[in-house]
DNA sequence: ACAATATATGAACAATCGTTCAGATAGAAC
DNA sequence: GTTCTATCTGAACGATTGTTCATATATTGT
């Protein structure tokens, strides 16, 4: 008995990626088998290969789409504002965007080493584009005398690392609202870079 | 042919843990096989079980020893100083200690999900002890009016996350010396928490 | 020199891995 | 209603997994 429930091409594909996303985030890429993914979707393992050439591509596609959406959303945000305003928007954007996609974020930086060298290079390039957006803000503010940053490259990485820390503890419905979290982090980031 | 090179109990044990440490850090716990570890040591896979009950314990022991060394070294540091001085020492300590053990650090927070629940709880407890040491410093400074921190718990996690960012980019022999790195991060941390 | 012990080998176990593919069937097109 | 095609099953492939164990030997203690 095959094809038990009709024509599913447009439904099965997204469901596979969603299941892979969940399982990769929870157990790690290497620890998840194609059969586990298939079982979550309600299909046999062989059927997955109608939608992905192999397991590696499944991971790669999830990461690439996440990074592209991140850059796209950031692009919508960017305006010609003064550096401090831009930094405040960046902090809020980063926190909100990432908290909405905990699984994607987790994978995008935990599973980098499981990418083939070519795929890794592509994801790294996207990541660097994102970092550059923040560094430009910091650099602009530094030039304008608003910021006092010893090293803009390090400050960029430090700010992102600090903001990423939110993901390790924030749970919606917890002690703090999103607005409060944003406020607290902005307070620290702002003071850290200001002259 | 067995026991090809004499009595090695006191040598093989550490070599197995070192090999496991390296391989786990490079490829991830789930992606490393017992045979790979054995090969690195120059021994058959079965011999590993003279030194560990199973693969899981190998990971757990590496993580526990790392966390215990971290807490022990931190304990040596702690003195009765004022909060700002204590924070400066903590920043320097954290950066230097962690940069000296990149593999252990990497494992200690990338492989948490591969621990059994009991082992996970034990490592988490050690980690919390470390965080508490920093939070105490921040709390003391807050009480003394030296710091202006909206939320000491979040500030604790934010500072640690920020400092951990060093590990993603610092390479000894690079553009910056350890002293410079320490200086840059202290500058940012100090401003971020100060009133 | 001999007995005891610690430490290794190497084969074997069942289970699971990613992937392929011939065959089956449901829905779309006519 | 028939043909065509996209989609899935189910079995199979060889490779690899963590772990066990009977066996062998180098070293230690006497």
């Amino acid at each position: 008995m095959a094809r038990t429930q009709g024509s599913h091409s447009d439904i099965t594909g997204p469901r596979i990626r969603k299941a892979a996303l969940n399982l990769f985030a929870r157990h790690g890429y290497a620890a998840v088998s194609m059969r586990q993914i298939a079982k979550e979707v309600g299909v046999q393992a062989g059927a997955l290969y109608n939608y992905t050439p192999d397991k590696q591509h499944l991971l790669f596609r999830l990461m690439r789409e996440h990074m592209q959406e991140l850059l796209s959303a950031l692009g919508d945000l960017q305006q010609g504002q003064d550096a401090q305003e831009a930094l405040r928007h960046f902090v809020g954007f980063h926190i909100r965007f990432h908290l909405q996609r905990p699984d994607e974020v987790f994978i995008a930086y935990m599973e980098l080493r499981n990418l083939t060298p070519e795929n890794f290079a592509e994801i790294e390039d996207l990541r660097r584009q994102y970092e550059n957006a923040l560094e430009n803000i910091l650099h602009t503010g530094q030039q304008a005398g608003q910021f006092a940053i010893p090293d803009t490259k390090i400050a960029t990485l430090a700010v992102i690392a600090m903001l990423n820390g939110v993901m390790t503890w924030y749970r919606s419905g917890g002690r703090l609202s999103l607005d409060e979290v944003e406020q607290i982090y902005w307070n620290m980031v702002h003071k850290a870079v200001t002259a």
Side-chain angles (χ1 to χ4, degrees), chain A:
Chain A
M1 169 194 10
R3 188 74 166 294
T4 53
Q5 300 181 57
S7 182
H8 285 159
S9 163
D10 48 346
I11 291 184
T12 308
R15 290 221 303 160
I16 288 173
R17 287 187 288 278
K18 179 155 194 161
L21 176 71
N22 259 282
L23 291 169
F24 288 165
R26 203 160 33 238
H27 308 294
Y29 173 77
V32 172
S33 72
M34 294 298 269
R35 283 172 181 83
Q36 286 176 54
I37 299 171
K39 189 171 191 176
E40 189 94 353
V41 178
V43 102
Q44 294 295 317
L48 302 185
Y49 291 86
N50 289 323
Y51 302 93
T52 184
D54 49 35
K55 190 186 176 189
Q56 163 74 202
H57 186 82
L58 210 41
L59 173 65
F60 173 59
R61 175 166 174 174
L62 288 173
M63 294 176 70
R64 189 183 50 188
E65 285 181 353
H66 169 66
M67 292 305 297
Q68 285 171 342
E69 283 173 22
L70 175 66
L71 287 172
S72 169
L74 179 66
D76 294 343
L77 182 79
Q78 301 281 36
Q79 305 287 355
Q81 351 174 39
D82 90 305
Q84 176 165 319
E85 199 67 9
L87 181 58
R88 193 164 66 84
H89 284 152
F90 183 92
V91 168
F93 165 77
H94 186 95
I95 289 178
R96 288 175 185 274
F97 187 92
H98 285 74
L99 282 182
Q100 276 163 5
R101 296 161 173 80
D103 286 349
E104 285 88 343
V105 171
F106 204 63
I107 287 177
Y109 101 142
M110 292 281 280
E111 304 296 353
L112 281 169
R113 61 179 163 195
N114 287 311
L115 292 172
T116 62
E118 302 81 22
N119 290 343
F120 176 79
E122 191 166 336
I123 300 297
E124 266 301 285
D125 181 62
L126 295 172
R127 177 196 301 273
R128 192 131 22 203
Q129 288 181 43
Y130 185 70
E131 291 173 0
N132 284 345
L134 174 55
E135 190 174 4
N136 283 339
I137 293 173
L138 296 180
H139 187 71
T140 302
Q142 177 78 357
Q143 298 279 50
Q146 296 176 279
F147 298 158
I149 306 167
D151 186 300
T152 55
K153 185 63 190 165
I154 293 183
T156 298
L157 298 172
V159 167
I160 290 179
M162 180 169 152
L163 296 179
N164 281 341
V166 181
M167 253 85 56
T168 66
W169 59 265
Y170 183 83
R171 296 295 172 269
S172 78
R175 187 175 116 241
L176 297 166
S177 72
L178 249 172
D179 281 342
E180 288 170 319
V181 171
E182 190 180 327
Q183 186 61 39
I184 289 170
Y185 275 90
W186 165 241
N187 175 280
M188 289 190 288
V189 169
H190 170 241
K191 287 197 294 183
V193 302
T194 296

